[in-house]
């Protein structure tokens, strides 16, 4: 388990732009002959990588290769992750999928069992230290809904995705699923968390709240970590699975490329129809489905169908989450939101 006091000293890099990737080609690649101590001293964010691969502290002057061998860690996978997170060239390293899946599982555990519960405790403390109001409860409810989404996302990876890869590793290739079915909609989930942070900063009026400041700093850190986690999956894990599929003569389906291209260019708000935006605003105003139907001259069944489609598009399944979405995208003002009691 990562130690909380390290959190801000070792923040990892944000999503790498194409410019940074080009620059990375000109930076020296970490190799197996490096002293592990030297590598960590120059790049402190890599401390969390040690833990997630199962590398022990107390490595003295051992090289990366020696430390990995003694702890049973795949050296190529470890170096690929380190180079990627430090903006260096990560190509040319052979990836061990079992080793990388172990890394990803430990990262999931860190988010779900440690970091996000810690953020929630700080948010609760921040509310208790200030005047309790409806906006505070709305934001905490939104955070809880968000954590459930992250939990479902990561548990799906732990179970369905990793089980699929294990079957491939065992030579079993039955079924129609391919990793591109998953990768086409794979995102970091950091956007909603950053949106929550922005709502707190812009609309939650309170002075001298140390707990809230600490929680917001952790939210920023968590967002950066989620982006980096997604980068490791997109740039290392998914390509490695694609290579395995190819070696087993499984072909990725071209029909998904158009979906990927479309999803990269359309914002969540733009993906909503005018009627769906109206329904989101009604939900944010506290209306029940019957009230929405009467207000918009629709049947209750039609409203229910619209809400089901909205939840599917946004992956938001609560009134509080839809309210935050409406505020973030300018569909409704804070004054129009019905107080939550």
């Amino acid at each position: 388990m990562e130690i909380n006091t390290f959190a801000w000293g070792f923040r990892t890099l944000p999503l790498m732009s194409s410019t940074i990737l080009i620059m990375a080609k000109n930076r020296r690649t970490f190799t197996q002959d490096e002293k592990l101590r030297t590598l960590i001293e120059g790049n402190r964010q890599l401390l969390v990588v040690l833990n997630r691969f199962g590398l022990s502290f107390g490595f003295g002057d051992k090289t990366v290769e020696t430390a990995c061998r003694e702890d049973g860690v795949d050296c190529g996978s470890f170096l690929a992750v380190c180079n990627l997170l430090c903006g260096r060239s990560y190509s040319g390293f052979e990836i061990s999928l079992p080793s990388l899946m172990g890394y990803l599982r430990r990262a999931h555990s860190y988010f779900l069992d440690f970091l996000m519960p810690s953020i929630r405790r700080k948010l609760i403390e921040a509310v208790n230290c200030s005047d309790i109001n409806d906006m505070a409860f709305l934001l905490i409810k939104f955070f809880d809904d968000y954590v459930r989404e992250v939990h479902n996302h990561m548990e799906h990876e732990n179970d369905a995705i990793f089980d699929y890869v294990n079957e491939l590793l065992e030579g079993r290739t039955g079924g129609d699923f391919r990793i591109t079915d998953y990768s086409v909609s794979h995102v970091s989930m950091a956007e909603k968390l950053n949106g929550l942070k922005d709502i707190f900063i812009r609309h939650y009026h309170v002075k001298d709240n140390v707990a809230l400041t600490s929680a917001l700093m952790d939210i920023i850190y968590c967002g950066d970590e989620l982006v980096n986690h997604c980068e490791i999956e997109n740039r290392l894990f998914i390509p490695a699975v694609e290579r395995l599929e190819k070696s087993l003569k499984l072909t990725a389906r071209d029909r998904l490329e158009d979906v990927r291209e479309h999803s990269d260019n359309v914002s969540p708000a733009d993906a909503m129809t005018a009627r769906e935006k109206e329904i989101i605003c009604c939900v944010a105003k506290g209306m029940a489905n019957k009230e929405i139907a009467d207000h918009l001259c629709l049947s209750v069944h039609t409203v229910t169908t619209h809400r089901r489609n909205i939840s599917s598009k946004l992956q938001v399944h609560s009134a509080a989450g839809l309210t935050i979405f409406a505020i973030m995208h300018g569909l409704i003002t804070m004054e129009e939101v019905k107080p939550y009691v």
Side-chain angles (χ1 to χ4, degrees), residues 36 50-51 85 93 114 122 133 149 164 193 235 243 245 252 276 289 318:
L36 185 55
L50 295 179
N51 174 262
L85 293 180
F93 294 101
F114 180 76
K122 290 181 180 181
N133 57 49
E149 290 181 37
Y164 167 72
L193 190 61
R235 297 182 185 275
R243 290 192 294 271
E245 288 176 335
E276 287 170 341
N289 284 357
S318 68

Side-chain angles (χ1 to χ4, degrees), residues 2 11 70 81 92 126 128 130 166 169 207 224 266 324:
E2 285 82 348
R11 186 185 304 174
E70 291 183 356
V81 170
N128 290 337
S130 62
N166 284 327
L169 290 169
K207 292 183 177 180
D224 289 346
V266 177
I324 295 294

Side-chain angles (χ1 to χ4, degrees), residues 22-300:
I22 292 172
M23 292 173 58
K25 295 180 180 179
N26 299 321
R27 302 181 67 183
R28 187 177 62 80
T29 302
F30 298 136
T31 70
Q32 62 185 14
D33 297 324
E34 307 262 358
K35 287 185 177 180
L36 185 55
R37 174 177 57 81
T38 302
L39 189 149
I40 297 299
E41 286 176 350
N43 307 275
R44 295 177 296 174
Q45 73 269 25
L46 298 182
L47 276 174
V48 295
V49 178
L50 295 179
N51 174 262
R52 292 173 189 174
F53 271 110
L55 275 167
S56 306
F57 291 149
F59 38 74
D61 288 326
K62 295 174 185 175
T63 64
V64 171
E65 181 183 27
T66 300
C68 286
R69 184 177 65 253
E70 291 183 356
D71 280 335
V73 175
D74 182 74
C75 189
S77 301
F78 173 75
L79 285 170
V81 170
C82 290
N83 279 292
L84 172 61
L85 293 180
C86 292
R88 299 165 188 260
S89 176
Y90 54 88
S91 61
F93 294 101
E94 185 174 347
I95 300 295
S96 164
L97 280 168
S99 180
L100 192 56
M101 286 191 292
Y103 171 95
L104 296 173
R105 285 184 186 275
R106 291 186 185 95
H108 292 167
S109 178
Y110 172 64
F111 286 118
L112 298 176
D113 301 333
F114 180 76
L115 184 54
M116 289 182 176
S118 174
I119 291 173
R120 190 182 193 279
R121 287 193 295 270
K122 290 181 180 181
L123 288 176
I124 294 295
E125 182 182 351
V127 171
N128 290 337
C129 290
S130 62
D131 295 330
I132 299 176
N133 57 49
D134 298 312
M135 188 60 190
F137 284 119
L138 177 66
L139 289 166
I140 291 174
K141 188 176 189 306
F142 174 74
F143 180 77
D144 289 342
D145 292 340
Y146 170 78
V147 170
R148 278 191 290 272
E149 290 181 37
V150 175
H151 181 274
N152 292 338
H153 173 86
M154 292 184 173
E155 285 301 304
H156 176 66
E157 290 183 352
N158 286 345
D159 298 332
I161 303 302
F162 293 166
D163 283 352
Y164 167 72
V165 176
N166 284 327
E167 288 180 358
L168 292 181
L169 290 169
E170 294 172 2
R172 290 182 282 154
T173 59
D176 295 329
F177 178 81
R178 300 292 179 270
I179 197 64
T180 46
D181 295 342
Y182 176 69
S183 65
V184 69
S185 59
H186 184 245
V187 295
S188 70
M189 303 192 76
E191 181 180 354
K192 290 182 182 179
L193 190 61
N194 289 330
L196 174 67
K197 176 256 302 178
D198 290 341
I199 292 294
F200 261 115
I201 292 174
R202 295 176 184 177
H203 299 288
Y204 189 65
H205 183 71
V206 61
K207 292 183 177 180
D208 301 326
N209 193 319
V210 176
L212 180 57
T213 301
S214 179
L216 293 179
M217 294 292 285
D218 282 356
I219 285 174
I220 294 169
Y221 168 69
C222 185
D224 289 346
E225 277 283 270
L226 285 169
V227 169
N228 286 327
H229 183 75
C230 185
E231 280 293 276
I232 291 169
E233 292 179 324
N234 286 343
R235 297 182 185 275
L236 297 178
F237 175 68
I238 291 173
V241 178
E242 289 175 338
R243 290 192 294 271
L244 178 58
E245 288 176 335
K246 186 176 180 179
S247 72
L248 296 173
K249 304 193 184 303
L250 299 177
T251 305
R253 281 161 278 180
D254 293 336
R255 64 178 173 81
L256 293 170
E257 292 302 322
D258 290 338
V259 178
R260 178 188 286 117
E261 186 174 323
H262 177 72
S263 63
D264 287 343
N265 296 323
V266 177
S267 70
D270 290 338
M272 297 291 103
T273 66
R275 178 65 79 190
E276 287 170 341
K277 291 178 182 178
E278 287 180 324
I279 290 175
I280 290 173
C281 290
C282 289
V283 172
K285 292 176 182 178
M287 296 184 185
N289 284 357
K290 179 64 168 62
E291 295 174 299
I292 297 173
D294 293 341
H295 179 69
L296 298 179
C297 299
L298 302 171
S299 69
V300 174

